[in-house]
Amino acid sequence: MKPVMLASLVGAGFAAGIGAPRAEPGKQAPAATVPLPPPQPPERPNDLVPPSPQVTPLPPGRPPELATSPDRAGDRKPEEASRAAGTATGQEPAPTTPPETPLPPARPPELSGEAALVLTVAAPDDTACLRRLERLGVRFEALPPLSNGQCSAPHPLSVTALADGVALEPAATLTCRSAEALARWTSEVQVAARRSFDDSLKSLVLGGSYVCRGQNHDTDAKLSEHSFANAVDIMGYGFAKRANLTVSAVPDGTPEAAFLSTVRASACGFFRTVLGPGSDAAHGNHLHLDERERNAGHRLCE
């Protein structure tokens, strides 16, 4: 026999010996088992039958006192009555015309036309203010009301001198409140003059008081407080012994610089607006003082 065939027979026998288990002598091989079907579930108990479907209860009937009756038919709105009639006859109700919107009342005559543009503000009562001016030693006289378009002053005063004989050059046209602020501030200027120069203040050189114009002489700007006799421009100070001192930027460390700085700072306690050299180009040669009202009592001190 050829060696190749012999090797094949030996390999087949060896494989057969490994794959099939040998039966022990005297015992039979176990018979093959067949899987059984799963057992049937027990019957459903009678007490677990599904409940019968529940019926949603209807709402209670409408109370008789709220039911619609023939007597209450007249209380219906026209569109409701029409809709009810159409439903009863099976016809589509005819559309109803909505009521006309009432017109607003006519505008009052005083708020129409040129009358609405007139500034109607009650003039302040200056009785108490005039008494204070007299006590402060201010020389003044009442002027007729001023009115030029929106520029106005109902009770202007022509003020010629203040306490201690301090003259105003020229006389100022101011409201009583502005004149009082100027008089009280000038008392502080008098103290500063004696402290800085050992001299007495004799005059205030003014650049203007009442004039109808815009701020900084700009015709398109908001009206200046000068337009209401509520402002004054201080150009310089006159003294009894020394030469006049003009409002300007002077070298620091001099008595003149100390005096101008002191009186300018003190003005912020009497006026709501204080502008001067260094504020802007328009106020480089004078001290602008006014009583402009601002929100929350705000003051502009530059």
Side-chain angles (χ1 to χ4, degrees), residues 84-108:
T87 304
T89 58
Q91 298 178 356
E92 186 68 22
T96 58
T97 303
E100 295 183 359
T101 303
L103 296 177
R107 189 178 184 87

Side-chain angles (χ1 to χ4, degrees), residues 30-197:
T33 59
V34 178
L36 298 176
Q40 295 292 333
E43 294 183 1
R44 188 180 184 89
N46 295 333
D47 54 351
L48 294 181
V49 294
S52 59
Q54 297 182 357
V55 179
T56 303
L58 296 176
R62 189 178 183 89
E65 63 272 11
L66 298 181
T68 303
S69 61
D71 296 338
R72 296 178 59 86
D75 297 340
R76 296 181 181 177
K77 295 182 179 180
E79 57 271 17
E80 295 179 356
S82 176
R83 190 180 300 110
T87 304
T89 58
Q91 298 178 356
E92 186 68 22
T96 58
T97 303
E100 295 183 359
T101 303
L103 296 177
R107 189 178 184 87
E110 62 273 12
L111 298 180
S112 304
E114 297 182 358
L117 302 178
V118 178
L119 187 63
T120 56
V121 178
D125 185 2
D126 291 341
T127 304
C129 178
L130 295 175
R131 291 176 182 172
R132 292 192 297 269
L133 285 184
E134 294 174 352
R135 293 173 183 173
L136 289 171
V138 179
R139 293 202 296 268
F140 63 91
E141 64 179 8
L143 296 176
L146 300 173
S147 179
N148 183 8
Q150 293 185 0
C151 304
S152 63
H155 301 303
L157 302 176
S158 176
V159 184
T160 57
L162 306 176
D164 298 330
V166 177
L168 299 184
E169 301 175 352
T173 302
L174 298 170
T175 63
C176 185
R177 187 178 66 172
S178 297
E180 181 181 3
L182 181 62
R184 294 186 183 278
W185 171 69
T186 303
S187 298
E188 299 291 329
V189 178
Q190 185 70 271
V191 174
R194 292 169 181 166
R195 183 179 303 163
S196 299
F197 308 125

Side-chain angles (χ1 to χ4, degrees), residues 206-224:
L206 307 184
S209 50
Y210 171 77
V211 57
C212 185
R213 63 171 175 84
Q215 294 179 359
N216 300 333
H217 298 273
D218 186 354
T219 56
D220 296 329
K222 185 178 180 180
L223 285 177
S224 169

Side-chain angles (χ1 to χ4, degrees), residues 244-263:
N244 289 2
L245 178 61
T246 59
V247 177
S248 60
V250 298
D252 293 336
T254 62
E256 291 78 8
F259 171 80
L260 292 175
S261 176
T262 299
V263 298

Side-chain angles (χ1 to χ4, degrees), residues 197-200 202 239-243:
F197 308 125
D198 192 21
D199 202 349
S200 298
K202 287 300 181 183
F239 303 93
K241 296 181 293 186
R242 60 161 291 151

